[in-house]
Amino acid sequence: MSRARTARRIAAGAAYGGGGLGLVGAAAVGLVVAELQFAKRTVGSGLADPPRADGLYGSEFGGPELSPGPLRLGMLGDSTAAGLGVHRARQTPGALLASGLAAVAERPVELRNVALSGAMSDDLDRQAGLLLDGDEPAPDVCVIMIGANDVTRRMPPTQSVRLLTGAVRRLRLAGSEVVVATCPDLGTIEPVYQPLRWLARRVSRQLAAAQTIGVLALGARTVSMGDLLGPEFAANPREMFGPDSYHPSTEGYATAAMAVLPTLCAALELWPESDRLDVSRNEDMLPVAKAASAAAGLAGTEVTGARGPWALLKYRRRRRVPGEDLAQGTGGADGTGRPPRGDGKAGGNTARATGVTSKGP
């Protein structure tokens, strides 16, 4: 069965109830899970809690008292969203995205990160409540990074997608734009060996495709994490993975954030001509399931709902040069890494987003 067809079945099961395993056979999934759990025990965690990165980024663009005030960014998800494995707040993906967004918008960004290490999709409703059930306005945009723990702990994929779409629906009804970084490719974890590496890749990519189908119907956008992210992780695992060989390193988180940032900006209409297809980059308009399947196999790919059963498949990211500042290379659609200019909303000196906050980080 094709990945697109499998993803459609999972998404349909999530929407209409029911839902057997739906990925590969139960025995094969059991082997994958056992191998992944063994890998995690082999490498060990030994990581301290991620640093708190909540606060105001890009304060040089104006304080909270100035109109229109800061953009509000919410981060939800698991240890990857929380930034497990780094030692400084500014190295977490939330801080990197807040800094980059402030640079493109030339406006302060207020970050609130409610992600929890070890979280599965059944924790997303609680996390959404932390962002919405209070006196503060709903975030302007939220980024969700989820899925790996759903696979390793054997959550049925239909349940995983149903819980994710429930949280996305709640955020969308509150007025937030939503970007979902889909399930990463667990086949890249070094202690997982063939043939189970191939099975782990298949399971995680099928879940990623089903996640995309589920959230596009709600007006969200997705970015494929794939093999966190593509050839960089495969070619440089010692550089891109942290000391536990399971979570990304500082460089790995920066690469992932660079892939998400252009879609984050596009969701807020800060990227001029953000939804125009670039044929030279093989961008295309495809049926939703085919677009979701294609994106799951190519890290850094954005999928955005179009009209009816169609979706836009876009390649916004470029390869990050090690040591490059995220705010200086935001992965523009022209491939230069410079944010586009000319619409009065974006541009300016992106190097000014340093990640230094006025409180906390």
Side-chain angles (χ1 to χ4, degrees):
M1 184 183 299
S2 70
R3 185 190 303 154
R5 185 178 176 186
T6 302
R8 279 199 303 268
R9 289 183 58 186
I10 296 170
Y16 300 112
L21 199 55
L23 291 167
V24 295
V29 172
L31 286 172
V32 171
V33 171
E35 185 78 0
L36 288 170
Q37 291 175 342
F38 173 76
K40 292 175 73 174
R41 289 195 299 269
T42 300
V43 299
S45 179
L47 299 177
D49 291 338
R52 295 295 301 173
D54 292 17
L56 189 69
Y57 292 75
S59 57
E60 63 270 29
F61 297 115
E65 71 283 354
L66 298 180
S67 180
L71 290 167
R72 296 176 297 276
L73 169 64
M75 289 288 296
L76 305 88
D78 54 23
S79 56
T80 304
L84 184 66
V86 300
H87 303 292
R88 296 178 176 85
R90 66 174 181 271
Q91 298 170 333
T92 63
L96 292 168
L97 289 172
S99 297
L101 181 59
V104 174
E106 296 189 336
R107 182 175 167 185
V109 173
E110 185 77 30
L111 170 67
R112 188 173 180 198
N113 193 331
V114 295
L116 177 67
S117 295
M120 297 190 293
S121 292
D122 57 6
D123 193 53
L124 290 177
D125 185 67
R126 182 194 66 84
Q127 294 181 25
L130 292 175
L131 293 175
L132 301 177
D133 296 343
D135 297 330
E136 296 295 323
D140 295 293
V141 64
C142 293
V143 175
I144 302 175
M145 308 176 81
I146 201 74
N149 294 322
D150 293 9
V151 174
T152 60
R153 298 181 188 176
R154 305 187 69 172
M155 176 179 285
T158 50
Q159 181 183 357
S160 175
V161 174
R162 187 182 303 121
L163 291 165
L164 170 62
T165 55
V168 171
R169 182 180 295 108
R170 186 176 178 184
L171 293 167
R172 294 287 292 145
L173 288 174
S176 300
E177 299 292 337
V178 179
V179 175
V180 176
T182 55
C183 181
D185 182 352
L186 298 177
T188 58
I189 300 172
E190 283 193 310
V192 177
Y193 302 105
Q194 296 290 11
L196 295 183
R197 177 168 291 194
W198 176 85
L199 289 172
R201 173 168 288 117
R202 184 178 178 187
V203 169
S204 49
R205 286 184 177 182
Q206 286 177 346
L207 178 57
Q211 288 176 320
T212 295
I213 294 172
V215 304
L216 285 187
L218 300 173
R221 300 174 184 240
T222 65
V223 179
S224 170
M225 289 291 96
D227 48 357
L228 272 179
L229 285 157
E232 290 95 328
F233 276 72
N236 303 293
R238 294 290 186 273
E239 178 183 345
M240 306 305 278
F241 280 108
D244 67 349
S245 299
Y246 188 82
H247 293 90
S249 65
T250 301
E251 184 73 21
Y253 278 123
T255 302
M258 177 167 283
V260 174
L261 179 60
T263 300
L264 184 65
C265 294
L268 293 172
E269 299 183 349
L270 297 171
W271 223 251
E273 301 178 354
S274 61
D275 291 333
R276 176 177 295 180
L277 295 176
D278 186 346
V279 179
S280 67
R281 294 163 64 90
N282 294 320
E283 296 180 346
D284 203 353
M285 181 178 289
L286 298 171
V288 170
K290 288 188 177 181
S293 177
L298 186 59
T301 306
E302 175 190 322
V303 183
T304 306
R307 295 183 179 180
W310 298 91
L312 301 178
L313 189 71
K314 297 188 67 65
Y315 308 109
R316 297 191 188 275
R317 70 177 290 266
R318 68 179 179 84
R319 194 179 191 282
R320 181 172 181 267
V321 177
E324 178 184 40
D325 188 279
L326 178 66
Q328 293 177 325
T330 50
D334 60 358
T336 65
R338 296 187 298 271
R341 303 291 299 269
D343 69 337
K345 296 180 180 179
N349 183 7
T350 60
R352 284 183 284 174
T354 62
V356 177
T357 65
S358 61
K359 52 181 179 178

